[in-house]
Amino acid sequence: MPAPAHFLRSHVRLPGRTIGLAVLAAAICAAPVLAVAWIALSGETGDYLQHLAGTRLPTYLATSAIVALIAAGGAGLIGTGLGWLIARTEFVGRRTLAWVLILPLAVPAYVAAYAWLDLSHAGGPLQAMTGGLFPTIRGSWGAGLMFALVLYPYVFLLARDTFAGQSADAYHAARTLGAGPLTAFWRTSLPMARPAIAAGLALVVMESLADYGTVSHLGAPTLSIGLIRAWSGAGSLVDAARLSLVLVVIAIFVFGLERAQRRRARSVNAAGRHKPAPRLQLGAGHGLLALLACLTPLALGMVVPLGRLVWLALHTDTAPGLAAASLHSLTLALITAVIAAALGLATAYALRSRTAIATLAARAAGLGYAVPGAVAAVGVIALLSGTQALLDPAWRALTGEVFPILLTATGGALVFAYLSRFAAAAISPAETALARVTPSLDGAARTLGASRGRRVRTVHWPLIAAGVTSAGLLVFVEVLKELPATMILRPFNYDTLAIIAHNFASDERLGEAALPSLLIPLVALLPMIFVARYLSRQAR
Amino acid sequence: MKSVKFLALAASAALAACSQPATEDGDTARVVNVYSARHYSSDAAIYAAFTEQTGIEVNLVAASGDQLIERVRADGERSPADVIITVDAARLHRAEQAGLFAASDFSDLDIDIPTNLIDPEGYWVSFAKRSRVIAYSNDRVQPGEIATYEDLADPRWEGRICVRESGNAYNQSLLASLVAHLGEEDAQAWAQGIVDNMAREPQGGDRTQINGIAAGECDVAILNHYYYAMMVNSDDPAAQAAAAAVTLFFPNQETTGAHVNVSGAGIAVNAPHPEEARTLIEFFFSDDAQRAFAEMTNEIPVRTDVSWDNPTLAAMLPFNEDSLNVSELGDNNETAQRIFDRVGWQ
């Protein structure tokens, strides 16, 4: 039996349909972006971009860079630090915190921004309490801070799972060679976790750059503000599309960096379930410090802003229609999450084939994550309208009328836009999870004669279930929070929680915005707690 | 009459139950599809009253004006939109330029609407007004110290002005009106003067500017009149206190009149239900709807012969309005935005 050659050729021989699914995922994600690119490149050339380059463009770019750096720095620090504490140490409250620390992800950054600005504005409660010393949370640093506080779970989730899955060997070897715990962490654990951290950071950066609600509320003119303004200003969708291509280029760059990390770290990323590292027992003093370190971001990202909203909600009449809006939000999020998780997993599997087409598909899928929701929505509208127009002649021949408005007037367009924006978020976690299925593991199962289906069921699934579920969860929460695409594409009489919250908040009626704003994290919390606890059990 | 309506309802329900899902093209139930940039929750009450009086159901999509325009434009011939409503004349103008409105003759509405609030070519009509006004601190500014928008650019207001960002449509339309009155060059000098006089980087909405005065961050602010009215009428003691710290006035009373913007609507060019669309727009001019605008959103009804109960708003009126045709706000919108970019108004 020519085992070695067979072994080397591929980890899992992929059925064609896995690659097919990956290509489908890529098409869904990339098509709206490509439609936007087409709008950008085929449109007439005016002088607006020249005007912009001479006036606001430098500000837009600088603000984007500052916001992204603060967001990534903050989320990286919090996410990695807490991920390591939870995965590798033992202190009072750790087990609960293992899943509670994920929850700020359920708080939309714009909701945190509503609450913090309300608390800290001139003449607001925090300034009154501190005699005017508390700074007003606003501008680039304020927006960056909001992103760091609610997006750090991206890094935390991936870092924690990687730290937990790391073999203790390297760390102990370092300790034996005389390195202190910190040095050992710095020299062994951290480098091994770098791909996971990079994957989390890439999501944080892209989400900060594509955000509109938070930066517009806090007055941080990033590029995404610039392109919405180009659209409304000169009335030029073409110029807005051109500006959004800049974001696409940045995304290609960011995800490229992330992939480079992954490649470099591939050889050292030991996985599997062998020899789980023993936790470092923290004494009372250190345990208290660890607890504080965990509670601080929780308080700032979740407890304080949501507490403020609860207080506001209690002092305001309830807006009508919240039950229906909750149901709409849940339905959209659930449908999108399930499809996205499936597509993400398929892409991750396809990537194992190491074929050029799979790699291309995965990268193309990442494009959707780069563009702001409003731009993705425009791409979806352009595509679906184009499709409907293509169908017109045939339909007219049959019925004498234009093709009915089936595509752009239903929730399907919305799910399409969501998938385009967020399905990429499901690929990275699935891929990270699948990385735990090492070639040797697969080979062993294969040598023992397990069929492909059986290998996937009994060897792969237990190792990747957590990752795939969290992939779906990430998308679920993203959809609940999504605002601009929802506004543009929703069917008649179809409010979601995010829309109701935004409408009141943009009218500065924060009291009425409070309850729908609160309901977003609350609706997200129940499934999140369930999944977070499940994930933590898996990681234990 | 009632029983006929009931029979019709019952028939349509039965039809819907045993045939395909009711489409908006069905003959049984009359509907009107509304794309609205108004996101005020009180509008629900106006639509409910409309449905009760006419039997026409209202389907609603609310988003920003530009988004709605893009959606209608892309859907083209098959767009379900009947009525397009925006809260800024420049957006109405843009929809018209994109060819989204059907030419409609609103002159036979039998209502006395000032001609400057109707599109000269008859594509859209305004049903409620809002004015962009100036508020000043009761403590730090004397009445009469400031009279016009132009005064705000004077160096004596350096470091004393609060105003929101220039992406805001209301600021754009204010500057567009100044472009129309003063010409582009002087309008830019004015905008530069405001930027030089700002007490802080633009932030928040119009209420934030009043809060800024109340907190002592600035002495004067530019805002829409109804935000002040909302704060005065609010249940929130903090909002009431902030409003009580300022005085509001309508600028340019001796010159061009205070800048006025509108809530307006037009009938979509491909409207599947043009009759119902017209019925709805007519309804916006009814006593009930005009009263609702005054009482619920503190807007100024275009009809002056309707009585309403809102002492805060009543105390502000009457005032001299800018008589510029509001369609010029659309003509000058792009110029205004470029000026904002050039002078660095965030």
Side-chain angles (χ1 to χ4, degrees):
Chain A
M1 196 177 155
H6 184 219
F7 189 90
L8 283 173
R9 202 162 58 228
S10 81
H11 309 147
V12 179
R13 176 102 54 128
L14 286 159
R17 59 172 186 271
T18 311
I19 300 228
L21 271 176
V23 171
L24 176 71
I28 290 174
C29 292
V33 183
L34 294 178
V36 169
W38 186 80
I39 292 172
L41 300 177
S42 67
E44 286 173 27
T45 304
D47 65 340
Y48 182 78
L49 288 185
Q50 278 166 344
H51 156 80
L52 202 64
T55 53
R56 302 293 305 279
L57 193 59
T59 311
Y60 292 149
L61 292 172
T63 312
S64 295
I66 294 169
V67 167
L69 278 177
I70 294 176
L77 214 63
I78 301 172
T80 311
L82 300 190
W84 187 81
L85 276 178
I86 295 296
R88 302 302 290 271
T89 69
E90 187 61 82
F91 56 94
V92 176
R94 184 197 65 81
R95 284 191 173 202
T96 312
L97 283 166
W99 58 271
V100 172
L101 280 172
I102 305 171
L103 302 183
L105 200 57
V107 182
Y110 55 84
V111 166
Y114 296 162
W116 271 111
L117 184 59
D118 181 59
L119 280 169
S120 67
H121 73 263
L126 282 176
Q127 297 225 332
M129 268 155 52
T130 59
L133 285 179
F134 199 93
T136 301
I137 307 285
R138 61 173 307 274
S140 326
W141 69 269
L145 190 66
M146 292 300 110
F147 292 130
L149 286 176
V150 298
L151 298 179
Y152 81 80
Y154 279 135
V155 182
F156 170 75
L157 258 175
L158 298 170
R160 184 198 66 184
D161 289 353
T162 307
F163 284 134
Q166 274 174 4
S167 143
D169 300 345
Y171 179 82
H172 285 305
R175 295 283 279 136
T176 316
L177 290 171
L182 257 182
T183 317
F185 166 73
W186 196 253
R187 301 288 291 275
T188 64
S189 304
L190 192 62
M192 289 199 289
R194 216 160 44 199
I197 295 169
L201 285 181
L203 295 180
V204 172
V205 167
M206 289 326 301
E207 194 146 321
S208 315
L209 290 181
D211 169 89
Y212 181 75
T214 314
V215 290
S216 73
H217 194 74
L218 295 182
T222 60
L223 202 56
S224 82
I225 297 253
L227 71 88
I228 295 295
R229 202 177 278 199
W231 182 6
S232 74
S236 167
L237 193 55
V238 176
D239 291 321
R242 285 175 182 152
L243 286 176
S244 68
L245 287 189
V246 178
L247 281 175
V248 173
V249 171
I250 294 175
I252 291 173
F253 180 71
V254 169
F255 286 122
L257 276 182
E258 187 239 310
R259 300 224 154 248
Q261 278 296 330
R262 197 186 294 252
R263 262 197 307 280
R264 269 174 53 193
R266 194 171 202 93
S267 52
V268 292
N269 196 6
R273 305 217 121 202
H274 61 92
K275 204 159 191 193
R279 292 177 191 283
L280 194 65
Q281 288 289 337
L282 298 184
H286 284 113
L288 198 65
L289 280 180
L291 192 63
L292 265 177
C294 292
L295 292 181
T296 308
L298 264 186
L300 298 180
M302 196 164 75
V303 179
V304 172
L306 295 192
R308 176 62 176 173
L309 292 177
V310 168
W311 187 89
L312 284 171
L314 289 176
H315 289 79
T316 319
D317 294 336
T318 305
L322 290 181
S326 305
L327 194 65
H328 294 158
S329 289
L330 258 178
T331 313
L332 289 171
L334 205 62
I335 293 172
T336 312
V338 170
I339 301 175
L343 292 177
L345 184 60
T347 309
Y349 264 112
L351 273 172
R352 284 164 76 91
S353 71
R354 305 270 185 96
T355 53
I357 186 162
T359 313
L360 191 70
R363 300 217 174 132
L367 288 182
Y369 211 73
V371 297
V375 176
V378 165
V380 166
I381 291 181
L383 270 181
L384 296 183
S385 303
T387 311
Q388 286 171 156
L390 275 180
L391 294 170
D392 274 346
W395 197 262
R396 222 187 279 269
L398 280 173
T399 65
E401 292 181 16
V402 293
F403 186 78
I405 181 149
L406 288 179
L407 305 177
T408 45
T410 60
L414 215 41
V415 173
F416 183 11
Y418 291 150
L419 283 173
S420 163
R421 278 280 284 120
F422 304 128
I427 298 177
S428 275
E431 220 186 329
T432 310
L434 212 52
R436 298 173 74 172
V437 184
T438 55
S440 51
L441 209 57
D442 229 16
R446 204 187 187 94
T447 316
L448 292 170
S451 68
R452 187 179 62 232
R454 182 146 181 240
R455 284 205 307 278
V456 168
R457 259 197 325 278
T458 59
V459 180
H460 293 197
W461 183 248
L463 284 172
I464 63 174
V468 172
T469 323
S470 54
L473 172 75
L474 291 180
V475 176
F476 178 87
V477 176
E478 287 289 354
V479 173
L480 275 187
K481 300 189 287 189
E482 210 283 336
L483 184 61
T486 315
M487 284 200 91
I488 305 177
L489 292 171
R490 67 208 163 112
F492 282 117
N493 311 322
Y494 204 85
D495 279 340
T496 66
L497 291 172
I499 283 174
I500 296 183
H502 167 81
N503 282 348
F504 283 121
S506 69
D507 214 16
E508 297 187 288
R509 293 161 74 178
L510 208 59
E512 281 121 315
L515 188 55
S517 299
L518 268 175
L519 282 172
I520 297 170
L522 284 185
V523 167
L525 275 181
L526 279 181
M528 256 186 98
I529 289 173
F530 177 80
V531 176
R533 299 191 59 169
Y534 167 75
L535 291 183
S536 303
R537 267 201 306 280
Q538 291 272 317
R540 200 143 65 209
Chain B
M1 188 62 201
K2 262 235 160 90
S3 60
V4 172
K5 206 165 128 190
F6 175 73
L7 274 179
L9 270 176
S12 72
L15 270 175
C18 61
S19 68
Q20 314 177 334
T23 67
E24 59 239 23
D25 298 314
D27 301 325
T28 46
R30 296 177 72 196
V31 298
V32 59
N33 297 330
V34 180
Y35 281 24
S36 174
R38 289 170 65 89
H39 53 257
Y40 315 123
S41 51
S42 54
D43 279 11
I46 296 177
Y47 295 132
F50 172 73
T51 303
E52 183 157 331
Q53 285 185 21
T54 61
I56 301 172
E57 297 286 341
V58 176
N59 287 323
L60 180 69
V61 172
S64 86
D66 296 307
Q67 297 171 346
L68 295 173
I69 288 169
E70 182 55 27
R71 184 160 159 180
V72 177
R73 202 193 55 73
D75 284 340
E77 245 185 295
R78 81 199 92 233
S79 171
D82 292 313
V83 177
I84 303 168
I85 302 172
T86 80
V87 286
D88 171 44
R91 296 317 183 271
L92 287 169
H93 178 77
R94 179 165 301 158
E96 177 199 324
Q97 295 288 301
L100 304 185
F101 284 140
S104 313
D105 188 7
F106 291 108
S107 62
D108 62 341
L109 275 179
D110 198 27
I111 294 160
D112 190 21
I113 310 169
T115 50
N116 66 312
L117 302 182
I118 305 181
D119 177 44
E121 287 155 64
Y123 285 95
W124 48 264
V125 66
S126 319
F127 50 83
K129 299 179 287 189
R130 60 268 312 278
S131 182
R132 199 135 184 87
V133 299
I134 298 174
Y136 59 80
S137 161
N138 291 334
D139 297 335
R140 299 181 295 277
V141 178
Q142 296 300 315
E145 251 190 282
I146 184 167
T148 65
Y149 301 111
E150 290 87 336
D151 286 346
L152 287 173
D154 190 288
R156 72 204 211 85
W157 298 106
E158 191 180 340
R160 299 172 72 185
I161 298 179
C162 274
V163 64
R164 72 200 281 184
E165 34 91 38
S166 66
N168 171 254
Y170 308 140
N171 276 345
Q172 293 167 10
S173 282
L174 173 62
L175 184 56
S177 78
L178 291 172
V179 170
H181 289 306
L182 308 173
E184 182 170 349
E185 208 171 303
D186 285 357
Q188 176 162 337
W190 177 83
Q192 184 68 59
I194 300 293
V195 171
D196 294 342
N197 288 345
M198 283 178 187
R200 59 183 191 193
E201 284 292 320
Q203 58 180 277
D206 282 359
R207 290 185 215 227
T208 303
Q209 316 313 323
I210 292 187
N211 287 330
I213 296 180
E217 280 199 307
C218 46
D219 298 338
V220 287
I222 305 173
L223 61 139
N224 279 5
H225 79 277
Y226 54 87
Y227 285 103
Y228 170 80
M230 276 155 111
M231 290 173 81
V232 173
N233 292 344
S234 161
D235 302 328
D236 178 5
Q240 288 174 2
V246 308
T247 300
L248 195 80
F249 76 97
F250 290 87
N252 294 39
Q253 293 302 285
E254 309 295 322
T255 58
T256 53
H259 167 66
V260 168
N261 207 336
V262 297
S263 274
I267 299 174
V269 66
N270 294 309
H273 317 103
E275 258 178 65
E276 287 79 0
R278 182 160 179 106
T279 311
L280 178 64
I281 290 180
E282 283 172 10
F283 181 77
F284 288 148
F285 294 96
S286 68
D287 291 9
D288 287 347
Q290 293 281 299
R291 187 179 304 123
F293 295 135
E295 293 178 359
M296 296 167 104
T297 51
N298 299 293
E299 289 171 282
I300 305 161
V302 292
R303 276 179 62 193
T304 49
D305 58 340
V306 178
S307 63
W308 38 264
D309 178 29
N310 183 349
T312 310
L313 182 62
M316 295 179 180
L317 307 180
F319 65 99
N320 290 331
E321 290 173 25
D322 191 343
S323 58
L324 194 71
N325 191 292
V326 288
S327 68
E328 290 205 43
L329 305 178
D331 288 332
N332 292 319
N333 182 272
E334 193 182 340
T335 307
Q337 294 223 37
R338 290 199 177 203
I339 291 175
F340 280 135
D341 285 343
R342 285 197 290 265
V343 300
W345 186 323
Q346 288 280 308

